[in-house]
Every structure is written in C-alpha cells, then in structure tokens.
Amino acid sequence: MRPVSQLDVRRHNAALALAAVTARPGSTRAEVAAATGLAKATVSTVVDRLVAGGLVTETGPQPRAGRGRTGVGLALSPAGPHGIGVSIGVNHVTACLVDPLGAVRARRLRGGDNRGSSPSAVLAVVERVVRSLVGEGAVVGGVGVAVPGLVRDGVLLSAPNLGWAGVPVALDAPVPVVVQNEANAAALAERRDHADFVLVSGEVGVGAGIVRGGVLETGVHGFAGELGHVCVNPAGPRCGCGARGCLETYAGTDALPPLSAARAGDQDALATLHTAGKYLGQALSALVNLLDIPTVILGGDHAPYAPWLTEPLRGELHHRAIAARWTTPRVLASTLGREAAALGAARAATAPIADDPEAWLQSRDQAL
Amino acid sequence: MRPVSQLDVRRHNAALALAAVTARPGSTRAEVAAATGLAKATVSTVVDRLVAGGLVTETGPQPRAGRGRTGVGLALSPAGPHGIGVSIGVNHVTACLVDPLGAVRARRLRGGDNRGSSPSAVLAVVERVVRSLVGEGAVVGGVGVAVPGLVRDGVLLSAPNLGWAGVPVALDAPVPVVVQNEANAAALAERRDHADFVLVSGEVGVGAGIVRGGVLETGVHGFAGELGHVCVNPAGPRCGCGARGCLETYAGTDALPPLSAARAGDQDALATLHTAGKYLGQALSALVNLLDIPTVILGGDHAPYAPWLTEPLRGELHHRAIAARWTTPRVLASTLGREAAALGAARAATAPIADDPEAWLQSRDQAL
C-alpha cells in the first residue's frame, strides 16, 4: 500500500462518479454523491469536468420524490468517445463504430478469403476501414482488433487458419489500438446478458471465450479458450495445428454442409451436423466438467446452425457432464451474428476510458 | 457500500494484524503498524488480544537496525488452533492434525476397501479417527473432510467409485466441519509452492484441483475439476459414470499395473503406463488449451507412477497444447504423498480463523 496523491484521488473520484452515472442513468449530482460516498461539492467539481469533457451529459430536470429542489439528471453522453472494433476473419473483415452506450452507429463489411493472404494487405484493408469509420465524425476513444489466433503484446503469434504467424498487428491510428483473440472479443459482447458462460465462436476454427463472474478468463499468458484444439477423437483427422482429432476438424465451418442443404433436409447434411453437434458437446462436456460453467452460447458461424447442433450437443452434455443431474448447462444461440467480435473489440477499446476517465480527459487537454 | 460498525473495524483490524504477523514472522508491533497502516495504539490492543487468545506468541526481543528500543517479535503461535483433516479414499481413510504453521503434528491411517461400504460405517470410522486426533490435546479449530465426489452444502451428492450417492457428511464434532472434494483439498495443500497449477489426484477416480492466482477454482456450483470424466476416446470403455472413454477408465488406478511390475520393467506394465500417460496428456492438453495453465502436478496415487507417466504426458502436451511453442507447461510429481487431501482439508478447516480471528476469539470467550 503506497501513499495516495491528490492526482490519484482526482482520478479515483472521476472513475467512481462516471461508474455511478453509467449504472443509474438519470441520477442527479446528489444521487451520485449518495451512491459514491463522495462529498456533494466534490461530485459537483468532478461531474462538471466530465460534462465539459463530453463524457457525461445533462438530461434535464429530474422529478424528485419528496421536497426540495429538483436536480439535473446525468447520463453517459452518446456523443462521448466511441470505440471502433474490427474483426479479421478467415473470409471477412467486419467493423463497427460503437457509441459509449454500446450501440452500433456505423458498420463495414469486406468479404473475401483472407486465407494465405499477405498480412500487410489485410492490415491495409483494416486501416482503410478504420479511417472510413473515423470519417463518420464521432469522437473516437480507441480501436480494438479481433484476430482468430493466439495474441501476445499486440503480436498475432499464430493463426493457422489464416496461415499467419508472428504478425505485429500495428495500425496507423490516432488512438490506442487493443489487439485480442476474436472469441474473447465476441464473449465480451455477450457479457451484457450473462455473467457465467462460454461463448463458442465458430468459423473455420473454433474458439471460445470463457466468462465467469463477468470476468473474461484469459489464462496466465492470455492463451485461454482454445476449444477448437480440444481433442475429441485421438484417431480423428489431422488438424491444421498438426495434431489429430481436434474439435475443429469436425465442427469448424469447413466441416459443415451449406446452410441451404440443412434447411432442405438433406440427409448427409443432417448426419454431418449431428456428428458436429456431438463432438461439440463432447468438447464442451470437458469444459463443463473442468470448470462447472452453466451456460453455452453458440456464436459466430455456429449460431445459424444451432437448430441442428443443439440437440446432439445437449445430449452429450447430459450424458458426459458428471454434475448434469444436478445442474444441466443451458445451450443458447447468439443473436449478435458475425458482428459479435467487432462489437466486443470496440467495447474493449473504450473500456480504459471508463476505468480512468481523468487520464482520457487529460490526454484531450494536451491534444488541444 | 454499507456503514461500518465498531465491531466490523475491530474484526478487520484483527485480521489485518494477524495476516501481517503470518506474512512476516518476527515482526514487532511497530512493524505490524507500519505494514498495516494501523495506529500503534490500535496494533497494541489488537495484538494483546491475539496473544491472550493464543493465536499469536511473543518470540522475544528482535534486533533492530538503527537506534531506538528493541521490539518484541511476534509469530503465529504453534499452540494455536489446529486443523484436523480427514480424507475418505476408495481404499483408505487418512487423517492428520495440523498446527497453525501448517506442520503435521499427528497422523492416522486406516486401510481397507471402502467400495460398496455403508456410508454410516465409514463415517463412524472417521468420527473415531477425529476423536483420536482431538485426544492429542491440541486446541482444535475445525475439521475438514475430503471426499472423492461431488459435494454440495455438506452432502456428498455422488461418489461413483465408493458407490455412494446423497450422503450427508455429518460428524459429531465440537468444531465446524467443512466438506469438500478430495482433489480440491489436495490442491490446497500444494498451494504453498505454486500459484497457478492443476493438481491431478489419481485414485480409482481421477480428480483435479485447479488453482489460479492462488485461488481454487470451484465453478459456479462447486463442481469444477472433474478431469476424470473428460472423454479421451468416444469409442473407449464404459466408465462408472455411464459414459464411454472417460479419462479414468485409462488412468485411474484400477487401469494401472502394480508399481512392482513397472519397477521390474515388465513390458505389458510399461505399455499400459505409456497409454495411461498419453491419455492423461490428452485430457490435460484440453485443460491447458482451455485455461492456459502453466504447471501440472501429478498427485495422489499418480505421483509414484510419475517416472513412467511423465514422458508420454509431456509428449501430448507438446503436441496438442496449441500455445506449447511459446509456453510448455511443466509436469511435476507431488511430494506430499497420500496425505495431501487430508493436509489441505485440515488447512481449509482453519482458514476461517485466519480470515476472522476476532469471531473465533469471541466464540472462545463465550465457551469459557
């Protein structure tokens, strides 16, 4: 425990007040004081600065129960710092501009196969997309980039399904850039509705974002969530990673039939999806047995296949999760579509501002 | 945030002071004040109460760097509240009496097959063992019982390898009884030397205790760590749980040859151990892929087999853990032997006293 400086106190108070306004939009200064335990005069100073800096807006007089003056309601300003999120997929680059309330204000989608592509060419596309979203005119607080592979310190160490290894994800951007695994980013996007869950992000690879008590599990080195490389059959087909029988050889999108064939009731397609759902269930049973997670969300390209994957998946969970008799995990389909990873990356990119608004305000002061 | 009462403050201060003494044995009252930020007068009052209550002992004058009076050193009292830990295994009941410094002061071992036994007969043995350890004359602060199965609210829901289900683990004991899964208890015993690891507890079943950042992972309902029921081969043999190809059908002790055969170099025995090690490695690769855990400790009855299990296990981790190129998990053998679960259970039983020594002191005041 070190001594606390005046600046520390100011930063702490700003973060506290902003969190109170975020948690209860419409709160007055007096209510923020009551919720935070800060003195009313302190709250006044802090809130005035948050309003002047564009983070908080006054929503007009609030009706008050009881006597006394009506207060002015406060809320996060929808014109405050937006996040830009970009997800680099095997066959798409998806991006969105997200306001401080979490709403998508603009989106971009570039189709095309990024497999075996040159990283610099794809990163140039990402930069163009980011510039185009910056061009929407909103204040931008950060850029998040989601990639389908292992990330350490802004470097994409390995993305076998892109054929990339050791790629620094550096962008020419005027704001901080946060790089993370795409399944982790997608899980952050689901966090609004769930606190303990695994988000399965299906593409050519299969990733997972594990969230417990609202906190993303990253592991000691940031490499957690590699569900696609859980072995489901030691005698199975060879995976891109070199091992045999990894889940993604059965449940990655390369192994799945076209959606149209499933919808048409094609028997081969249905049998393939049944097998994929079973193996997904086997791998997720391992996760549930190890971590006791109550909710599975099928996301990414798995979500539209959920009508065919869910039943065999549930069957395996019921059969293999040892505590299923007392607590059977729920299986849900994500409703966020392909945008989930970009959305989560955008939110992650502006999270540091919510954690330390004073630092952001100071950087704006210096920039002016 | 609720208002803080005087009693809360007293409890908080007592816990703080005790933690400071535990972390730095030999600290003087002045050093405890410096480490905790409490006023010297407060520390004096609190420490006097901890000494009078038998939790802390004075170790004599400490040499001081610099000028001024020498202070009196403080340490956890080895005569303070001991924990009794009992582990119910498939073929043993192991128990120990553990002092506040974590040292085993007495032990009991009852061999014999508990499979298909009557729970009440085994629990009567546990009660006799506890009474016998209470008879050693130490102050006892709590009893911990470790069981090989799923536990909820003191009830052993299911222990297929014992043939038990829905057994309330109630003991006639004069102190609080804490019931937990045996692999979790064993992991707590390893926590002194490691912060992020999985402890594999091999017996007829195979359990795991997952510890991250020094904290045991229990899962949302307390059912985490069921490594033995991770499926390693969907076409494998039928497990006691009803599913096919669970790890414990290959790596539980029923599937292993006698140690003597392995030591004699028997080729069948070595081949069986190689297969067991491979499947252990496959299941642990799933864990490492999902959670990014840097250390695997082979414990329980697996520890003596470590010389034969480790190489195939390491091979699978290297081959299947997707981040192994950047960070290969270490594989170690536990040195705690069969006592690990009892030791961890004993420590867990007295942990509430360290967390809230004032509550314990008050219960003693009332008892007198």
Side-chain angles (χ1 to χ4, degrees):
Chain A
M1 293 190 242
R2 63 188 182 85
V4 174
S5 73
Q6 277 305 104
L7 179 59
D8 287 336
V9 170
R10 217 165 111 187
R11 293 169 78 155
H12 181 71
N13 292 347
L16 263 185
L18 186 62
V21 169
T22 306
R24 303 194 63 178
S27 293
T28 62
R29 285 166 172 79
E31 286 163 345
V32 170
T36 58
L38 297 175
K40 283 187 189 172
T42 306
V43 168
S44 244
T45 311
V46 166
V47 165
D48 287 352
R49 180 154 167 80
L50 293 172
V51 169
L55 290 170
V56 165
T57 187
E58 298 185 327
T59 58
Q62 287 295 102
R64 265 184 68 175
R67 57 241 145 81
R69 291 189 305 140
T70 56
V72 175
L74 302 166
L76 275 188
S77 169
H82 288 47
I84 290 176
V86 188
S87 168
I88 302 176
V90 167
N91 47 27
H92 65 97
V93 170
T94 304
C96 55
L97 175 70
V98 177
D99 78 14
L101 302 168
V104 176
R105 291 296 168 194
R107 37 176 62 94
R108 300 286 185 272
L109 174 63
R110 299 272 181 283
D113 198 341
N114 297 323
R115 260 191 270 209
S117 60
S118 118
S120 60
V122 176
L123 290 177
V125 170
V126 171
E127 279 188 350
R128 276 201 299 279
V129 164
V130 169
R131 267 200 302 276
S132 148
L133 286 172
V134 167
E136 296 279 335
V139 178
V140 174
V143 174
V145 181
V147 291
L150 298 177
V151 176
R152 187 171 62 192
D153 301 333
V155 176
L156 176 52
L157 295 177
S158 166
N161 294 318
L162 286 174
W164 294 10
V167 175
V169 183
L171 299 182
D172 181 19
V175 288
V177 177
V178 176
V179 186
Q180 68 184 325
N181 173 274
E182 68 89 26
N184 286 350
L188 291 177
E190 302 285 350
R191 204 171 41 164
R192 297 218 152 176
D193 302 316
H194 306 275
D196 293 275
F197 64 94
V198 53
L199 181 277
V200 180
S201 185
E203 217 203 18
V204 174
V206 178
I210 303 168
V211 173
R212 293 199 293 167
V215 178
L216 182 69
E217 300 281 348
T218 57
V220 171
H221 314 88
F223 299 150
E226 291 290 337
L227 183 70
H229 300 286
V230 168
C231 176
V232 291
N233 182 3
R238 183 82 62 187
C239 175
C241 78
R244 279 197 181 278
C246 293
L247 172 65
E248 61 188 50
T249 65
Y250 293 101
T253 49
D254 278 358
L256 302 185
L259 262 180
S260 56
R263 287 189 181 125
D266 177 273
Q267 287 306 305
D268 284 352
L270 298 183
T272 303
L273 286 171
H274 186 84
T275 302
K278 255 190 99 144
Y279 280 122
L280 259 174
Q282 186 183 316
L284 286 164
S285 296
L287 177 59
V288 169
N289 274 323
L290 291 168
L291 284 182
D292 182 12
I293 291 268
T295 301
V296 171
I297 305 175
L298 293 177
D301 291 343
H302 279 157
Y305 287 101
W308 299 278
L309 297 173
T310 301
E311 195 207 309
L313 197 170
R314 277 210 183 103
E316 285 295 294
L317 282 176
H318 197 79
H319 184 53
R320 296 195 175 279
I322 194 80
R325 209 197 318 168
W326 296 277
T327 167
T328 311
R330 293 184 302 168
V331 181
L332 310 172
S334 171
T335 55
L336 296 176
R338 274 209 167 167
E339 203 167 65
L343 187 57
R347 290 192 187 145
T350 49
I353 301 176
D355 292 343
D356 190 353
E358 181 59 31
W360 188 75
L361 292 171
Q362 282 176 23
S363 71
R364 301 270 293 172
D365 292 347
Q366 283 159 16
L368 294 176
Chain B
M1 291 189 244
R2 63 190 182 83
V4 174
S5 73
Q6 275 304 102
L7 179 58
D8 287 335
V9 171
R10 216 165 113 187
R11 292 168 78 154
H12 181 70
N13 292 347
L16 264 184
L18 186 62
V21 170
T22 306
R24 305 194 61 177
S27 294
T28 62
R29 284 168 173 77
E31 286 163 345
V32 170
T36 57
L38 298 174
K40 285 187 190 174
T42 307
V43 169
S44 241
T45 310
V46 166
V47 165
D48 287 352
R49 179 152 168 81
L50 293 172
V51 169
L55 291 170
V56 166
T57 186
E58 297 185 328
T59 58
Q62 288 295 105
R64 264 182 70 173
R67 58 239 144 83
R69 291 188 305 141
T70 56
V72 175
L74 302 166
L76 275 188
S77 168
H82 288 48
I84 290 176
V86 188
S87 168
I88 303 175
V90 168
N91 46 28
H92 63 98
V93 170
T94 304
C96 55
L97 175 71
V98 178
D99 78 16
L101 301 169
V104 176
R105 291 296 167 194
R107 37 176 61 96
R108 299 287 185 272
L109 172 65
R110 297 275 181 281
D113 198 341
N114 296 324
R115 261 191 271 209
S117 59
S118 119
S120 61
V122 176
L123 291 177
V125 170
V126 171
E127 280 188 348
R128 277 202 298 277
V129 164
V130 169
R131 266 200 302 276
S132 146
L133 286 171
V134 168
E136 296 280 335
V139 177
V140 174
V143 174
V145 181
V147 290
L150 299 177
V151 176
R152 188 170 62 192
D153 300 334
V155 176
L156 176 52
L157 295 177
S158 166
N161 294 318
L162 285 174
W164 295 9
V167 176
V169 184
L171 298 182
D172 181 19
V175 288
V177 177
V178 176
V179 185
Q180 67 184 324
N181 174 274
E182 68 88 25
N184 286 350
L188 291 176
E190 303 285 349
R191 203 171 43 164
R192 297 220 151 175
D193 302 315
H194 306 275
D196 293 274
F197 64 93
V198 53
L199 180 277
V200 180
S201 184
E203 216 203 18
V204 174
V206 178
I210 303 167
V211 173
R212 294 199 294 168
V215 178
L216 182 70
E217 300 281 349
T218 57
V220 170
H221 314 88
F223 299 150
E226 290 290 338
L227 183 70
H229 300 286
V230 168
C231 177
V232 291
N233 181 3
R238 183 81 62 189
C239 175
C241 77
R244 278 198 182 278
C246 293
L247 172 65
E248 61 188 51
T249 64
Y250 294 100
T253 48
D254 277 358
L256 302 185
L259 262 178
S260 55
R263 288 189 182 126
D266 177 274
Q267 287 305 306
D268 285 352
L270 297 183
T272 302
L273 285 171
H274 186 85
T275 302
K278 256 190 98 143
Y279 280 122
L280 259 174
Q282 185 184 318
L284 286 164
S285 296
L287 177 58
V288 168
N289 275 322
L290 292 169
L291 283 182
D292 182 13
I293 291 267
T295 302
V296 171
I297 305 175
L298 292 178
D301 291 343
H302 281 157
Y305 287 100
W308 299 278
L309 297 174
T310 301
E311 195 207 309
L313 196 170
R314 277 210 184 103
E316 285 294 295
L317 282 176
H318 197 79
H319 183 53
R320 296 195 175 277
I322 195 81
R325 209 194 321 165
W326 295 277
T327 166
T328 311
R330 293 184 302 168
V331 181
L332 310 172
S334 171
T335 55
L336 295 177
R338 275 209 165 164
E339 202 167 68
L343 187 57
R347 289 192 187 144
T350 50
I353 300 174
D355 293 343
D356 190 353
E358 180 59 32
W360 189 75
L361 292 171
Q362 282 177 23
S363 72
R364 301 270 292 175
D365 291 347
Q366 284 159 15
L368 294 176

